[in-house]
Amino acid sequence: MKLETFSWEVDGDGIAHAVFDVPGRSMNTLTGKAVADIIAITKEVATNEAIKGLVLSSGKASGFCAGADLGEMGDRAGSGGDAKKKSVDELKKEQFEAGFSLNGTLRKLETCGKPVAVALNGLALGGGLEVALACHYRVAANDNPKIQFGLPEAKIGLLPGAGGTQRLPRLIGIQAALPLILQGEPFDAQKAHAMGVVQELAPGTETVARAKAWVKANPKAKAPWDEKGFKVPGGVPHKSPGVGQVATMSNMMLAAKTYGNYPAQKNILSCIYEGIQVPIDAGLRIETRYFINTQQRPEAKAMIRSLFLSTQALSKGANRPAGYPKTEFKKIAVIGAGLMGAGIAYVQAKAGIPTVLVDVTMEAAEKGKQYSVRLVEKDISRGKLTKEKGDALLALITPTTSYDDVKGADLVIEAVFEDEALKAKITQAAEAVMGEDAVYGTNTSTLPITGLAKASKRPANFIGIHFFSPVERMGLVEIINGKETSEATLAKAVDYVLAIRKTPIVVNDSRGFYTSRCFGTYTQEGLEMLSEGIKPAIIENVGRQAGMPMGALEVSDSVGLDTALKVGRATAKATGFDYNEAPLGKLMAWVVEDKGRVGRKAGKGFYDYNEQGKPDRLWPGLNDQIEVKIDECPPALKKELTNRLLFRQAIEVSRCFEEGVITDARDGDIGSILAWGFAPYTGGCVSYMDLIWGIPAFVAEADRLADKYGERFRPGKLLRDMAAKGETFYERFPPAGEKAKVKEPA
C-alpha cells in the first residue's frame, strides 16, 4: 500500500497506526491525495485479517486536520468532465459520485468490523472533525490551550459534506448540534468532552497510547447509530414535539437573521431535519445531495473565493511588491493621540512594537495612552490577558510632546484631523528628525495622497495608511500609493500592516480612494430614496435584508449628518450642481441646520438614541418634512430597492477599476466586505458583479436602473467592454505579476 500523506505501521498486537502528515505543509488538509490515502487505508483495514484495529493521529504539531482543501474544492466545483457530451442524468450521477467519495469511504471505515480510534492533539475542523466523528472513539489532548474542534463550513457558504450534519446530531442531539453547525463556531476540548464529541481527555503525549489501548480492549466496536435500538439523544422531529419545536424555531430564527441570503444555512437545516429521520446511510446520501447543491451556488463560490482564499492570500502579503527585504519594526511613532491615533498605538503595542505617541500637550498624549489602559484592563477583567502581559503592553507606549522622541522610528503614522495645512505642518516637523529610509504614513480617509505629499521633501517615502474605526476591532487597512510613492515604501507599508495582524489592500490615489468613495454611495442612495418619499423604515429594513450591517439612514447618522451635508455641497459645487435647491439638499439642510440633528454623536439624527448611543427609534419628525408616498413594501418593490442599494455601490467599484484606483480584483472584494460591510454572502462587490449576476446581466440591469433613476447607475466603458468580451473582473484584473487569466470557479 503506497501512501503519500500518511505514514503507516502495524504493531505486534495487530493495531495499525496511520499518521496524517501532508508533506511540505504546516497544517493537514483533506487534499485529493489525502482522500485517496484514506480510501486505501480503509480498504487495507477491512480486508487484511492480520489488522485488528486502527488508530489515526497527526504528525503535525498544529493538530489533526483543518478540513477540506478549499483551493482544490474551488477548482472542482461544478466540474463534470466534457459536459456537452453527457446528459443531465449522467452529469448528476457523476457529481454525486464525486461528492459522495469521502462520505462513502468514511462510512466504510465506520462499518469495517474493526475498532477505529483517533488521537487528537490539536485542531480538528470541518472535514477533519468529520473524519474523527467517523471513528468509534476519540481521545483529545487536555494540555493544548489552542486545541479547537468545529464545523465552520457555514461561515464560507458551505455545509459539512462528510457526515457532519448526520453524525453530530446523532451523537449529541439535534438541539445541541444545530447551533454548532449553523453558526460554525469552534469549541475546546473540555466542551467537546462534556458534550460527548470526544470520549476521553489525556495529556498530548499519551493520546496515541490511550487510543491504542481502547482499540485493543474493544475488538467489536460499533458506532452508536449502528447498534440495535439506537435512539437520537432528545428524539427526532416527527416523534418528539420538543425537537420538532426546536426545528421550527430554528427555521424562524434563521430566516430572521439571514433573510434568505445564505443558502448553506437553509440546506443545513434540511439536511438535519430530513436525514435524522432515516437510517444514517440514507442520511449521508441526503447530505451529499444538499452539499452538491450548496457548493454549486454562486454564493458559495463567491464566499469561498473571498472569505477564505483571497483573505488568506492578502493576509500573507500577496499584494506586496516582490524583491524587497522584509522590514522588522523596532520603533514606530504615532502623531495625534485622538481616538484614531490612540487605537493605532494600541494595536502596535499589542503586536510588540515600541510606540511613541505624540500630541501637542502632555495631557492629550497621556489621554491617548489611557485608551490602551482601558482596553487592557477590560481584557484582564475578562481573563483574556494576564496583568503581567498587560503591563508589558502598556510599557511599550510612550506619550510625549517632543518630536525628538520620533528619532529612530522606522515608520511615522500621522493621525490628525482632515486638515491639509495641519497635516503639512506635521509632515515637515516629523521629517526634520526622521531617518533617511524611514517611511511617513498619513492616516486620511479622503484627502489625496499626492497632494499631501507636496509638503514632503521625500515623496517617494510618503504613503497613505488608512485605518478604520475602532482600530482595535477593524481588520482592514487601506494602503494608498501617491503618484511618487516608491515600491520599496509600499513593501514596508504592507509589512507594517501584517506586523499589526491586519489585512492590507493596496489602491492608487484618488479623492476618497477606494473605500470612502464607494462606501458613501450606500448612504447616498438611501438618502435619495428618502427624498423620493419612501418610508424611512422601508429603506432601513431593505438595507439590512440586502445583507448590509445597518440601514443606510443609520449609517448616515454614524458618519454624521453634518458631514454628509458638507460633502454633498462640496461635491455638487465641484460638478456644477445646485445641491441647495435639490430635494435631497433641502432635506439635509432642514435636518442639520434647522433641527440641529447631526447624528449619533449628538444623540439625534434620523434616529433618536438612548444614553448608550443605541438607536431607540426612527425620528417621527421626519414625516413633518417628507411626504411619504410609499409606505408598503411588496416583494417586487423590495427587489427593486435591494438592487438600487447594491448596484449603486458596485457601479462605483467598477469606476474605481476603470480609473485605475483598484488594480487587483481581490482588493476590491475584500475591501468592500471588511471596510464598509458589503453583503458578505455575495463575496464582495466584485464577485457580486462577476458571479451573483454575471457581467452581461449586471450591465443590462444597471442600464435599466439608470433609465429609471438616473445616470449614477449607468455602466461605464469598462463594464460594457467586459460584457462584450465575456470577461470577469478576476480575469481582467488578476493578482499583480500574473499574466495568465485567473481561473474562475466552475
Side-chain angles (χ1 to χ4, degrees):
M1 180 174 59
K2 184 180 179 182
L3 302 174
E4 295 188 53
T5 62
F6 283 81
S7 62
W8 174 264
E9 64 177 14
V10 181
D11 67 16
D13 293 320
I15 299 173
H17 184 197
V19 181
F20 195 8
D21 198 355
V22 179
R25 297 196 181 187
S26 60
M27 180 71 67
N28 290 325
T29 58
L30 290 172
T31 62
K33 291 180 179 179
V35 173
D37 283 355
I38 293 172
I39 292 171
I41 289 168
T42 299
K43 184 177 180 181
E44 179 69 13
V45 172
T47 59
N48 189 335
E49 293 183 2
I51 295 176
K52 306 303 180 184
L54 171 68
V55 170
L56 297 173
S57 70
S58 171
K60 308 286 189 190
S62 53
F64 180 64
C65 177
D69 188 297
L70 291 176
E72 286 189 4
M73 183 178 292
D75 290 340
R76 294 195 305 266
S79 62
D82 190 349
K84 294 181 180 180
K85 296 180 181 179
K86 297 175 181 176
S87 68
V88 173
D89 287 343
E90 287 174 327
L91 284 172
K92 286 183 177 179
K93 182 180 179 182
E94 187 174 284
Q95 289 167 355
F96 180 85
E97 289 174 350
F100 193 69
S101 175
L102 180 57
N103 225 339
T105 296
L106 294 180
R107 183 59 179 151
K108 288 177 182 177
L109 182 65
E110 189 173 52
T111 58
C112 69
K114 298 172 183 178
V116 180
V118 60
L120 302 168
N121 64 316
L123 61 79
L125 299 172
L129 180 58
E130 290 178 288
V131 171
L133 290 173
C135 299
H136 303 121
Y137 196 72
R138 291 165 290 281
V139 185
N142 61 4
D143 54 1
N144 180 359
K146 295 183 179 180
I147 195 168
Q148 283 189 340
F149 304 118
L151 297 171
E153 288 88 346
K155 291 186 173 183
I156 53 168
L158 291 173
L159 60 81
T165 69
Q166 301 305 303
R167 290 189 177 89
L168 192 61
R170 283 172 168 82
L171 191 65
I172 65 175
I174 294 174
Q175 190 167 357
L178 270 173
L180 298 178
I181 304 175
L182 286 171
Q183 298 170 23
E185 295 299 328
F187 48 94
D188 60 22
Q190 284 68 32
K191 184 174 180 179
H193 186 249
M195 289 190 297
V197 175
V198 300
Q199 289 93 340
E200 185 178 353
L201 297 176
T205 55
E206 298 179 18
T207 54
V208 172
R210 299 281 188 95
K212 282 189 173 184
W214 183 88
V215 167
K216 188 175 180 181
N218 294 272
K220 296 182 179 181
K222 289 183 179 180
W225 36 89
D226 289 323
E227 297 283 359
K228 187 176 180 180
F230 168 74
K231 292 182 179 180
V232 176
V236 295
H238 72 290
K239 292 182 179 179
S240 171
V243 177
Q245 187 176 19
V246 168
T248 301
M249 291 300 294
S250 295
N251 201 30
M252 292 170 61
M253 291 172 65
L254 183 66
K257 286 187 175 182
T258 69
Y259 303 111
N261 293 325
Y262 294 84
Q265 275 77 359
K266 181 176 181 294
N267 286 349
I268 285 169
L269 272 179
S270 297
C271 273
I272 295 173
Y273 187 85
E274 295 173 25
I276 206 73
Q277 301 185 57
V278 297
I280 191 166
D281 291 291
L284 294 173
R285 290 194 293 272
I286 288 170
E287 179 188 81
T288 295
R289 285 195 289 271
Y290 277 111
F291 176 80
I292 293 169
N293 172 275
T294 307
Q295 183 190 27
Q296 294 180 341
R297 290 288 299 259
E299 295 91 344
K301 296 175 184 179
M303 290 174 74
I304 290 172
R305 182 168 69 184
S306 294
L307 301 184
F308 184 80
L309 299 175
S310 294
T311 299
Q312 189 176 71
L314 295 182
S315 296
K316 292 179 180 178
N319 46 15
R320 182 187 190 275
Y324 298 94
K326 180 181 178 182
T327 302
E328 299 290 343
F329 295 92
K330 298 177 181 177
K331 177 182 177 181
I332 296 176
V334 178
I335 301 177
L339 186 63
M340 190 65 75
I344 295 169
Y346 170 76
V347 297
Q348 289 174 182
K350 191 175 182 181
I353 302 171
T355 296
V356 174
L357 185 57
V358 186
D359 213 309
V360 291
T361 67
M362 200 63 195
E363 181 184 6
E366 289 284 3
K367 184 179 178 181
K369 182 171 181 176
Q370 281 303 307
Y371 186 83
S372 293
V373 171
R374 289 193 296 273
L375 291 173
V376 166
E377 289 176 345
K378 188 175 181 180
D379 280 350
I380 291 173
S381 69
R382 293 181 174 182
K384 294 181 178 180
L385 194 69
T386 64
K387 188 176 186 308
E388 292 73 24
K389 289 185 177 180
D391 290 343
L393 186 158
L394 294 172
L396 291 171
I397 302 174
T398 304
T400 184
T401 60
S402 174
Y403 277 78
D404 286 340
D405 292 324
V406 174
K407 291 178 182 178
D410 306 296
L411 170 68
V412 171
I413 300 288
E414 168 267 301
V416 300
F417 301 116
E418 296 284 85
D419 182 286
E420 290 188 38
L422 176 60
K423 287 179 180 287
K425 180 181 178 181
I426 289 173
T427 299
Q428 293 161 1
E431 285 188 349
V433 295
M434 287 171 63
E436 184 178 342
D437 296 327
V439 168
Y440 187 92
T442 177
N443 174 62
T444 175
S445 59
T446 57
L447 300 176
I449 302 304
T450 302
L452 294 177
K454 290 179 180 178
S456 172
K457 295 180 180 179
R458 312 172 311 159
N461 290 39
F462 194 102
I463 195 166
I465 302 179
H466 177 205
F467 286 86
F468 301 86
S469 184
V471 177
E472 69 275 7
R473 284 165 46 194
M474 298 295 283
L476 186 80
V477 176
E478 182 180 31
I479 299 174
I480 309 104
N481 282 314
K483 187 176 180 180
E484 296 185 58
T485 302
S486 69
E487 279 201 340
T489 296
L490 173 58
K492 288 180 180 178
V494 173
D495 288 342
Y496 164 67
V497 176
L498 299 181
I500 59 173
R501 306 183 188 105
K502 294 189 182 293
T503 300
I505 61 169
V506 177
V507 307
N508 292 319
D509 199 14
S510 169
R511 179 166 289 276
F513 320 128
Y514 172 56
T515 59
S516 297
R517 169 178 168 178
C518 296
F519 160 71
T521 59
Y522 174 56
T523 57
Q524 289 163 19
E525 196 59 30
L527 294 175
E528 289 286 350
M529 292 176 179
L530 189 65
S531 69
E532 292 168 15
I534 297 173
K535 190 175 182 179
I538 292 176
I539 299 169
E540 297 301 86
N541 288 334
V542 170
R544 286 188 285 266
Q545 290 170 19
M548 301 299 293
M550 295 180 187
L553 303 183
E554 187 180 353
V555 173
S556 294
D557 272 359
S558 298
V559 173
L561 301 186
D562 52 343
T563 301
L565 178 61
K566 181 179 178 181
V567 170
R569 284 173 172 167
T571 302
K573 184 178 180 181
T575 57
F577 174 70
D578 191 349
Y579 185 77
N580 293 325
E581 289 303 312
L584 178 56
K586 289 181 178 179
L587 171 65
M588 293 301 294
W590 177 76
V591 172
V592 173
E593 295 174 344
D594 293 353
K595 296 298 180 180
R597 302 183 69 91
V598 298
R600 188 189 298 266
K601 59 191 174 186
K604 57 182 182 177
F606 290 132
Y607 283 80
D608 288 323
Y609 293 86
N610 60 27
E611 293 181 357
Q612 289 74 42
K614 303 292 183 182
D616 266 343
R617 62 174 182 172
L618 278 159
W619 176 44
L622 272 177
N623 296 325
D624 296 340
Q625 188 72 7
I626 299 171
E627 180 188 352
V628 176
K629 300 175 182 178
I630 298 174
D631 61 0
E632 293 184 2
C633 190
L637 178 60
K638 178 188 172 186
K639 181 179 180 182
E640 182 82 346
L641 298 180
T642 296
N643 285 358
R644 285 180 63 178
L645 290 171
L646 299 185
F647 266 64
R648 182 67 184 87
Q649 299 172 69
I651 284 289
E652 196 65 30
V653 169
S654 74
R655 290 174 182 149
C656 286
F657 279 98
E658 189 164 2
E659 296 169 19
V661 178
I662 294 275
T663 59
D664 185 328
R666 299 173 302 180
D667 288 331
D669 265 341
I670 302 310
S672 69
I673 293 174
L674 296 185
W676 73 88
F678 188 82
Y681 68 90
T682 67
C685 276
V686 180
S687 289
Y688 179 68
M689 293 184 278
D690 271 1
L691 293 174
I692 305 300
W693 277 86
I695 301 301
F698 181 87
V699 168
E701 175 66 3
D703 272 329
R704 186 191 71 79
L705 292 171
D707 291 341
K708 190 171 182 179
Y709 300 105
E711 290 302 303
R712 62 187 181 276
F713 289 104
R714 190 72 68 190
K717 182 179 182 302
L718 172 68
L719 275 173
R720 296 194 188 282
D721 186 46
M722 290 170 61
K725 294 179 180 178
E727 288 182 323
T728 67
F729 279 94
Y730 274 76
E731 291 171 331
R732 185 85 172 233
F733 299 95
E738 291 188 14
K739 295 181 180 180
K741 290 183 177 181
V742 174
K743 183 177 179 182
E744 289 292 307

